[in-house]
Amino acid sequence: MCGIVAYIGNKDAYPIIINGLKRLEYRGYDSAGVALLDDDGDLNIYKRQGKVSNLEDFIQHSNKSGHVGIGHTRWATHGEANHVNAHPHFCTAGDIAVIHNGIIENYNTLKSELLNRGYHFNSETDTEVLVHLFDDVRTKTGLPLEECVRIALNEVIGAYAIVVLSKNDPNKLIVAKLSSPMVIGYGEDNNEYYVASDGSPLVEHTRKVTYIEDGQMAVLEKGKPLQLKLIVDNSEQPTYVDELKYKLEELEKGGFEHFMLKEIFEQPRAIFDSVRGRTNLKKHSISLGGVEEYKNAFKEAKRLIFVACGTSWHSALIAEYLIEELARIPVEVEYASEFRYRNPVIAEGDIVVAISQSGETADTKAALELAKAKGALTYGICNVVGSAISRMTDAGSYTHAGPEIGVASTKAFTTQVAILTLMAMQLADIRGTISKSKLNELISEFDVIPSKIEKILLQNDDIKEIAKDFTESSNFLYLGRGFNFPVALEGALKLKEISYIHAEGYPAAEMKHGPIALIDENMPVLVIAPNVAHYEKVVSNVEEVKTRKGNLIAIVTEGDKEISKISNYTIEVPETIEILTPLLTVIPLQLLSYHIAVMRGCNVDQPRNLAKSVTVE
C-alpha cells in the first residue's frame, strides 16, 4: 500500500521520482504528489487526486527543477482521496515536507496537543501530525532537523516509513522506518542516494541497497556515507549492503496487454525456477535449505501452524492437505489478521510457518512476532529477497517467482503451492511416512508440471470465448473437493478481485447445506472435477447443479466423458497425481477471471480499492 520514492544527488530528481512512482502503481493508490527543492532554495509541492499521469499533466508547465525531491502515491486511510489529503504534507512555515506510509495510531492525541499550541491543519490525515510535530520540536529545542525528527518519533505510536525534506537543509534527506518497508539505494560514490518503499523503482539506477530495519533512521547527505541510527537512543547501527535481484525486463509487460496476463503465462518458468536445485531426479531427493537446517525440529514437530492472508491463505490450506496426507503432521491454517489478536495456544514442538508474497504483509508480520514471543520456531515462505519476513524468521524458502506486478496474485500462488508441495514431500521423507517408490513417483511427476501448465495455456483463446458468456453475470459459485477445495476459494477470489463479480467458493459436498438454494439458470457454477479420488461424488454434485438448471463450467481431466456430457462448458487439464492437481486446475480459473474482467472494462492490474502489499492494518 502506498508508494515512496525519493532522490538526492546530482541528477534531476523529478524524472527519477515520477518514473519510480509509476513503478509503484501496482501497490494500489488514489492520489500522488511530489516535493522538489530547486536550486534557488524554493520548495515546490504538487499534489493531485487520481493516477500519477494526472499529476504529470497538472505540473507539465510548472517548475520541476532540482536535484533533491520526494514523491508519494497515497492509499487513503485517514481522510478521503483528494488533492488536500495527498502527500507530501508540509509545516506551517512551508519549509519542511514529509511523505509517509503507515498509520499513526495516536494521531488524535498528538493533533489535539498541537492544536492547543496553535498549529493549523489543512488535511484530515494522520500524516500531517508528523510534520507539525517535527516543527514543534524544532521550535522548542533549536536542534538540527534530524534530531528533531528522532525525538518526535519517540512520541509516535503506529507504523511508518517516512522521508523528510527541508529547504533549510538542501543537501539532506531524513529517512525513518517502523513496521513499514523502506529501502535505500546507493548511486555513484557517496554523492547520490535513492529511497523507495520497495526495490522496483531502484533497479534501473542501482543494484546496491540497504534495507532499513524497524526503529532505524538515516540521514542521507551528498558526499557522506550512509549512517544508520536507532530512533530510541541515537546509537549507531551497522550498515549491511545487499544486492537487488530484480531484472529490469521483469518489470515490463513484455508485449502482453496486462501484467496479470504476462504473469499467468510466466508460471511454467516461475515454478521451474522455484524448484530448480531443490529436487534431484537422479537421487530422487528433495532439499529445501530451511527445512534441512532445522531437520530435527521438523522431524519431531507436533504441529505446524500456517499464518497468511488472502491468496497466501489459500496456498496454506493446500499445504494442510499436502502435509497431513504425506507427512502425517497435524496442521492448522490461521488468518494472520485473526491469529495476532487472540491468545493462541502454541506448545513446545509447534512450528509457525508464515506465507506472504511480498514478505511485508502487516498482519502476517505481527502474527510472526506473536509466535516468536511465545517461543515458536518460525519459518517464512515469501518471494522478495531481503523482505521483513525473510529477515525475522528462523529459516525459510524463497519462491523465486520474480516480481509480481499485477495486484491479483497468480504466479505467487502457484510458486507457493510448489514450495509447499516440496516441503510436504521432504517432511514425509524425513519422518519416514512415504515409501521411496512413492517419493520417486512424485518427484518425477513434479518435474513435468511446468510443461503441463504450458499445455493448459494453449487453451487461452478457448477460455476467452467461454468468458464472453459471463461478462454480465452478477454472481458465481465455485465448487471443489479435497485438494481442489482451496483452488475453488482462490478462483472465486480472483473473480471478485478483478471483475467485481460476487463469487463464493465451497467444498462441493457443502453445496447441499445452503448454496444449492441459489442455483437457477442465472447462476454460473464452476466445478473443479479432475478424475481423481471421489470423482464419482463430484459427478453427483454436478448432476444436482444441472437438475436445477445451473450454468455449468467444469475443469476436467483430458478425455473426461461423464462430466463433459453434463456441463455447458468444459476446460481440460492434463492428467496428474492428485496432490499435484491444484497446480494445474487453478490456471484456467486465472485465465477465465482475467478475460471476464477485461471484457467488463476493469483495470485488471490495479483493481479498485486493492493494494498489492497490505503493509498497514
Side-chain angles (χ1 to χ4, degrees), residues 27-45:
R27 292 175 69 94
Y29 72 105
D30 43 51
S31 58
V34 296
L36 301 165
L37 189 59
D38 68 21
D39 293 337
D40 294 326
D42 292 325
L43 184 58
N44 300 302
I45 297 174

PDB file of all heavy atoms in Angstrom, residues 27-45:
ATOM      1  N   ARG A  27       1.028  -1.088  -6.346  1.00  0.00           N
ATOM      2  CA  ARG A  27       0.793  -1.217  -4.910  1.00  0.00           C
ATOM      3  C   ARG A  27      -0.611  -0.769  -4.516  1.00  0.00           C
ATOM      4  O   ARG A  27      -1.079  -1.070  -3.430  1.00  0.00           O
ATOM      5  CB  ARG A  27       1.837  -0.407  -4.134  1.00  0.00           C
ATOM      6  CG  ARG A  27       3.239  -0.953  -4.246  1.00  0.00           C
ATOM      7  CD  ARG A  27       4.244  -0.055  -3.573  1.00  0.00           C
ATOM      8  NE  ARG A  27       4.103  -0.055  -2.127  1.00  0.00           N
ATOM      9  CZ  ARG A  27       4.786  -0.846  -1.307  1.00  0.00           C
ATOM     10  NH1 ARG A  27       5.640  -1.724  -1.799  1.00  0.00           N
ATOM     11  NH2 ARG A  27       4.625  -0.771  -0.014  1.00  0.00           N
ATOM     12  N   GLY A  28      -1.286  -0.025  -5.370  1.00  0.00           N
ATOM     13  CA  GLY A  28      -2.610   0.473  -5.042  1.00  0.00           C
ATOM     14  C   GLY A  28      -2.524   1.876  -4.469  1.00  0.00           C
ATOM     15  O   GLY A  28      -1.774   2.116  -3.528  1.00  0.00           O
ATOM     16  N   TYR A  29      -3.279   2.825  -5.035  1.00  0.00           N
ATOM     17  CA  TYR A  29      -3.222   4.204  -4.563  1.00  0.00           C
ATOM     18  C   TYR A  29      -4.373   4.988  -5.156  1.00  0.00           C
ATOM     19  O   TYR A  29      -5.049   4.534  -6.083  1.00  0.00           O
ATOM     20  CB  TYR A  29      -1.887   4.840  -4.942  1.00  0.00           C
ATOM     21  CG  TYR A  29      -1.730   5.147  -6.421  1.00  0.00           C
ATOM     22  CD1 TYR A  29      -1.832   6.444  -6.888  1.00  0.00           C
ATOM     23  CD2 TYR A  29      -1.499   4.133  -7.347  1.00  0.00           C
ATOM     24  CE1 TYR A  29      -1.700   6.736  -8.240  1.00  0.00           C
ATOM     25  CE2 TYR A  29      -1.367   4.403  -8.684  1.00  0.00           C
ATOM     26  CZ  TYR A  29      -1.470   5.716  -9.138  1.00  0.00           C
ATOM     27  OH  TYR A  29      -1.347   5.997 -10.469  1.00  0.00           O
ATOM     28  N   ASP A  30      -4.606   6.193  -4.627  1.00  0.00           N
ATOM     29  CA  ASP A  30      -5.698   7.021  -5.125  1.00  0.00           C
ATOM     30  C   ASP A  30      -5.299   8.481  -5.325  1.00  0.00           C
ATOM     31  O   ASP A  30      -6.114   9.292  -5.728  1.00  0.00           O
ATOM     32  CB  ASP A  30      -6.908   6.940  -4.188  1.00  0.00           C
ATOM     33  CG  ASP A  30      -6.518   7.016  -2.731  1.00  0.00           C
ATOM     34  OD1 ASP A  30      -5.776   7.944  -2.370  1.00  0.00           O
ATOM     35  OD2 ASP A  30      -6.942   6.136  -1.960  1.00  0.00           O
ATOM     36  N   SER A  31      -4.054   8.833  -4.994  1.00  0.00           N
ATOM     37  CA  SER A  31      -3.567  10.183  -5.254  1.00  0.00           C
ATOM     38  C   SER A  31      -2.045  10.138  -5.281  1.00  0.00           C
ATOM     39  O   SER A  31      -1.433   9.159  -4.839  1.00  0.00           O
ATOM     40  CB  SER A  31      -4.053  11.172  -4.191  1.00  0.00           C
ATOM     41  OG  SER A  31      -3.632  10.770  -2.901  1.00  0.00           O
ATOM     42  N   ALA A  32      -1.449  11.211  -5.795  1.00  0.00           N
ATOM     43  CA  ALA A  32       0.007  11.232  -5.927  1.00  0.00           C
ATOM     44  C   ALA A  32       0.519  12.651  -5.750  1.00  0.00           C
ATOM     45  O   ALA A  32      -0.199  13.631  -5.991  1.00  0.00           O
ATOM     46  CB  ALA A  32       0.428  10.687  -7.296  1.00  0.00           C
ATOM     47  N   GLY A  33       1.781  12.763  -5.325  1.00  0.00           N
ATOM     48  CA  GLY A  33       2.361  14.083  -5.148  1.00  0.00           C
ATOM     49  C   GLY A  33       3.870  14.036  -5.096  1.00  0.00           C
ATOM     50  O   GLY A  33       4.473  12.988  -4.854  1.00  0.00           O
ATOM     51  N   VAL A  34       4.491  15.199  -5.349  1.00  0.00           N
ATOM     52  CA  VAL A  34       5.942  15.331  -5.259  1.00  0.00           C
ATOM     53  C   VAL A  34       6.285  16.647  -4.578  1.00  0.00           C
ATOM     54  O   VAL A  34       5.500  17.604  -4.605  1.00  0.00           O
ATOM     55  CB  VAL A  34       6.627  15.297  -6.650  1.00  0.00           C
ATOM     56  CG1 VAL A  34       6.431  13.962  -7.326  1.00  0.00           C
ATOM     57  CG2 VAL A  34       6.138  16.445  -7.532  1.00  0.00           C
ATOM     58  N   ALA A  35       7.452  16.672  -3.941  1.00  0.00           N
ATOM     59  CA  ALA A  35       8.038  17.914  -3.437  1.00  0.00           C
ATOM     60  C   ALA A  35       9.453  17.993  -3.984  1.00  0.00           C
ATOM     61  O   ALA A  35      10.229  17.040  -3.848  1.00  0.00           O
ATOM     62  CB  ALA A  35       8.047  17.930  -1.912  1.00  0.00           C
ATOM     63  N   LEU A  36       9.775  19.113  -4.614  1.00  0.00           N
ATOM     64  CA  LEU A  36      11.075  19.285  -5.258  1.00  0.00           C
ATOM     65  C   LEU A  36      11.742  20.544  -4.714  1.00  0.00           C
ATOM     66  O   LEU A  36      11.107  21.605  -4.626  1.00  0.00           O
ATOM     67  CB  LEU A  36      10.902  19.420  -6.775  1.00  0.00           C
ATOM     68  CG  LEU A  36      10.214  18.235  -7.471  1.00  0.00           C
ATOM     69  CD1 LEU A  36       9.773  18.631  -8.875  1.00  0.00           C
ATOM     70  CD2 LEU A  36      11.129  17.027  -7.516  1.00  0.00           C
ATOM     71  N   LEU A  37      12.998  20.419  -4.367  1.00  0.00           N
ATOM     72  CA  LEU A  37      13.769  21.549  -3.865  1.00  0.00           C
ATOM     73  C   LEU A  37      14.641  22.063  -5.000  1.00  0.00           C
ATOM     74  O   LEU A  37      15.582  21.387  -5.430  1.00  0.00           O
ATOM     75  CB  LEU A  37      14.620  21.106  -2.681  1.00  0.00           C
ATOM     76  CG  LEU A  37      15.345  22.184  -1.885  1.00  0.00           C
ATOM     77  CD1 LEU A  37      14.365  23.198  -1.315  1.00  0.00           C
ATOM     78  CD2 LEU A  37      16.149  21.535  -0.763  1.00  0.00           C
ATOM     79  N   ASP A  38      14.304  23.261  -5.516  1.00  0.00           N
ATOM     80  CA  ASP A  38      15.047  23.741  -6.681  1.00  0.00           C
ATOM     81  C   ASP A  38      16.351  24.421  -6.264  1.00  0.00           C
ATOM     82  O   ASP A  38      16.631  24.610  -5.078  1.00  0.00           O
ATOM     83  CB  ASP A  38      14.178  24.643  -7.561  1.00  0.00           C
ATOM     84  CG  ASP A  38      13.823  25.979  -6.908  1.00  0.00           C
ATOM     85  OD1 ASP A  38      14.538  26.409  -5.973  1.00  0.00           O
ATOM     86  OD2 ASP A  38      12.822  26.598  -7.340  1.00  0.00           O
ATOM     87  N   ASP A  39      17.140  24.818  -7.252  1.00  0.00           N
ATOM     88  CA  ASP A  39      18.471  25.350  -6.979  1.00  0.00           C
ATOM     89  C   ASP A  39      18.435  26.743  -6.358  1.00  0.00           C
ATOM     90  O   ASP A  39      19.442  27.227  -5.839  1.00  0.00           O
ATOM     91  CB  ASP A  39      19.294  25.378  -8.274  1.00  0.00           C
ATOM     92  CG  ASP A  39      19.605  23.970  -8.776  1.00  0.00           C
ATOM     93  OD1 ASP A  39      19.593  23.038  -7.949  1.00  0.00           O
ATOM     94  OD2 ASP A  39      19.834  23.808  -9.989  1.00  0.00           O
ATOM     95  N   ASP A  40      17.272  27.400  -6.388  1.00  0.00           N
ATOM     96  CA  ASP A  40      17.120  28.698  -5.733  1.00  0.00           C
ATOM     97  C   ASP A  40      16.688  28.558  -4.277  1.00  0.00           C
ATOM     98  O   ASP A  40      16.486  29.553  -3.584  1.00  0.00           O
ATOM     99  CB  ASP A  40      16.095  29.555  -6.482  1.00  0.00           C
ATOM    100  CG  ASP A  40      16.570  29.923  -7.881  1.00  0.00           C
ATOM    101  OD1 ASP A  40      17.791  30.111  -8.053  1.00  0.00           O
ATOM    102  OD2 ASP A  40      15.726  29.998  -8.784  1.00  0.00           O
ATOM    103  N   GLY A  41      16.506  27.303  -3.847  1.00  0.00           N
ATOM    104  CA  GLY A  41      16.111  27.068  -2.462  1.00  0.00           C
ATOM    105  C   GLY A  41      14.619  27.064  -2.236  1.00  0.00           C
ATOM    106  O   GLY A  41      14.163  27.031  -1.077  1.00  0.00           O
ATOM    107  N   ASP A  42      13.822  27.082  -3.301  1.00  0.00           N
ATOM    108  CA  ASP A  42      12.365  27.043  -3.160  1.00  0.00           C
ATOM    109  C   ASP A  42      11.872  25.602  -3.102  1.00  0.00           C
ATOM    110  O   ASP A  42      12.355  24.746  -3.859  1.00  0.00           O
ATOM    111  CB  ASP A  42      11.690  27.759  -4.331  1.00  0.00           C
ATOM    112  CG  ASP A  42      11.950  29.258  -4.326  1.00  0.00           C
ATOM    113  OD1 ASP A  42      12.021  29.841  -3.224  1.00  0.00           O
ATOM    114  OD2 ASP A  42      12.102  29.841  -5.421  1.00  0.00           O
ATOM    115  N   LEU A  43      10.931  25.351  -2.226  1.00  0.00           N
ATOM    116  CA  LEU A  43      10.333  24.024  -2.086  1.00  0.00           C
ATOM    117  C   LEU A  43       8.999  24.018  -2.822  1.00  0.00           C
ATOM    118  O   LEU A  43       8.038  24.680  -2.410  1.00  0.00           O
ATOM    119  CB  LEU A  43      10.135  23.692  -0.602  1.00  0.00           C
ATOM    120  CG  LEU A  43       9.602  22.301  -0.259  1.00  0.00           C
ATOM    121  CD1 LEU A  43      10.515  21.207  -0.800  1.00  0.00           C
ATOM    122  CD2 LEU A  43       9.443  22.148   1.255  1.00  0.00           C
ATOM    123  N   ASN A  44       8.941  23.305  -3.925  1.00  0.00           N
ATOM    124  CA  ASN A  44       7.745  23.268  -4.768  1.00  0.00           C
ATOM    125  C   ASN A  44       7.008  21.949  -4.560  1.00  0.00           C
ATOM    126  O   ASN A  44       7.583  20.875  -4.774  1.00  0.00           O
ATOM    127  CB  ASN A  44       8.137  23.430  -6.236  1.00  0.00           C
ATOM    128  CG  ASN A  44       8.844  24.741  -6.505  1.00  0.00           C
ATOM    129  OD1 ASN A  44       8.295  25.803  -6.242  1.00  0.00           O
ATOM    130  ND2 ASN A  44      10.076  24.682  -7.000  1.00  0.00           N
ATOM    131  N   ILE A  45       5.762  22.056  -4.132  1.00  0.00           N
ATOM    132  CA  ILE A  45       4.957  20.872  -3.816  1.00  0.00           C
ATOM    133  C   ILE A  45       3.763  20.811  -4.754  1.00  0.00           C
ATOM    134  O   ILE A  45       3.020  21.790  -4.904  1.00  0.00           O
ATOM    135  CB  ILE A  45       4.489  20.907  -2.343  1.00  0.00           C
ATOM    136  CG1 ILE A  45       5.706  20.866  -1.405  1.00  0.00           C
ATOM    137  CG2 ILE A  45       3.542  19.734  -2.039  1.00  0.00           C
ATOM    138  CD1 ILE A  45       5.363  21.030   0.063  1.00  0.00           C
TER     139      ILE A  45
END
